[in-house]
Amino acid sequence: GAVVSQHPSWVICKSGTSVKIECRSLDFQATTMFWYRQFPKQSLMLMATSNEGSKATYEQGVEKDKFLINHASLTLSTLTVTSAHPEDSSFYICSARGAAGGPNTGELFFGEGSRLTVL
Amino acid sequence: SQQGEEDPQALSIQEGENATMNCSYKTSINNLQWYRQNSGRGLVHLILIRSNEREKHSGRLRVTLDTSKKSSSLLITASRAADTASYFCATATGTYKYIFGTGTRLKVLA
C-alpha cells in the first residue's frame, strides 16, 4: 500500500517554543491531508483538513493561530504547534488521501504519528 | 465532534475465540472503515464497506453494515495474541473527512 511518513516521530520541547511536524506521501500525490490529535486511550479527533494550495479548514474548537497548517505541495503538509504549552502534549497523526484519477484515488493512508511532549 | 460510538470499550478474550466489536454512527455515510492501532503507533486500514454493501470479508475479518440502524460490526475469528490492539471505526460523509469512533481496546490472552 501507499506510504505516509511523519517526522519527527517524537519530540520534546520547552513551553513557549514552536514545533513543526511534517507529513509526507512518499509514493503518491495527496491533494488532501488530515491532521488528527489523540489523547491517551482515546480516539482520534480531527483537527483540520489540509488542501494543497489553499487554506486549511479547521474543525470547531481548534485554534488556527495555534495550529498552523501548510500544504504547499502534493506530497507535503506541515503542522506547526506555535507557542506550545504542556496541554498541547499529545499524539498527532496525519493521513493523506490519494489524488483523484490516480491509482490511490480516495483511499486514506495514515502516518505513524508524532508524539509531542511539552515541558 | 466524534460521530461513532463503539462498544464495548474494552474486550478481553482467550486466544482462539472470536471477538466482536460494534460501531454506531449518527448521520448518513458514504462508507465506513475499520482501523487497527497498536499502542503508540499509527493506524492500519483493515477494511472498507460502502453504504450499499451489507457484509464484507477479509481473511479472518468480517464486517457488517446496517444502514437502517446506523451500525456496523467487526468480527475477528480465531483471534491471536497479535490481534491485541485498539480498533476504530471511521465514517465518511462525502468529502473523505473521516470521523473516528471511540474505539475498542482488544486484549487477546495467550
Side-chain angles (χ1 to χ4, degrees), chain B residues 70-87:
Chain B
K70 292 187 168 59
S71 68
S72 174
S73 68
L74 169 68
L75 167 69
I76 304 174
T77 60
S79 63
R80 305 166 182 167
D83 294 328
T84 295
S86 291
Y87 292 82

Side-chain angles (χ1 to χ4, degrees), chain A residues 73-85:
Chain A
S73 77
L74 281 171
T75 59
L76 174 65
S77 175
T78 60
L79 167 68
T80 301
V81 183
T82 62
S83 187
H85 291 281

Side-chain angles (χ1 to χ4, degrees), chain B residues 9-105:
Chain B
Q9 290 188 344
L11 180 60
S12 188
I13 59 173
Q14 293 292 328
E15 206 166 27
E17 293 180 339
N18 295 342
T20 300
M21 289 157 261
N22 303 296
C23 166
S24 60
Y25 56 92
K26 296 175 185 172
T27 63
S28 297
I29 60 171
N30 284 350
N31 65 67
L32 184 146
Q33 300 191 35
W34 284 90
Y35 288 85
R36 167 197 167 119
Q37 183 183 36
N38 284 17
S39 181
R41 304 293 298 276
L43 275 72
V44 175
H45 177 261
L46 295 177
I47 199 164
L48 178 152
I49 186 164
R50 302 193 188 282
S51 59
N52 61 351
E53 297 176 312
R54 292 295 167 261
E55 189 172 309
K56 211 160 180 182
H57 296 255
S58 176
R60 292 185 296 115
L61 306 180
R62 173 178 167 251
V63 167
T64 63
L65 179 65
D66 187 334
T67 52
S68 66
K69 295 182 180 177
K70 292 187 168 59
S71 68
S72 174
S73 68
L74 169 68
L75 167 69
I76 304 174
T77 60
S79 63
R80 305 166 182 167
D83 294 328
T84 295
S86 291
Y87 292 82
F88 297 93
C89 67
T91 51
T93 55
T95 60
Y96 290 98
K97 187 172 83 169
Y98 284 90
I99 305 298
F100 283 79
T102 49
T104 294
R105 292 192 305 281

Side-chain angles (χ1 to χ4, degrees), chain A residues 86-107:
Chain A
E87 58 266 29
D88 299 324
S89 298
S90 191
F91 193 54
Y92 294 89
I93 304 177
C94 72
S95 68
R97 181 165 77 91
N104 304 114
T105 298
E107 294 186 48

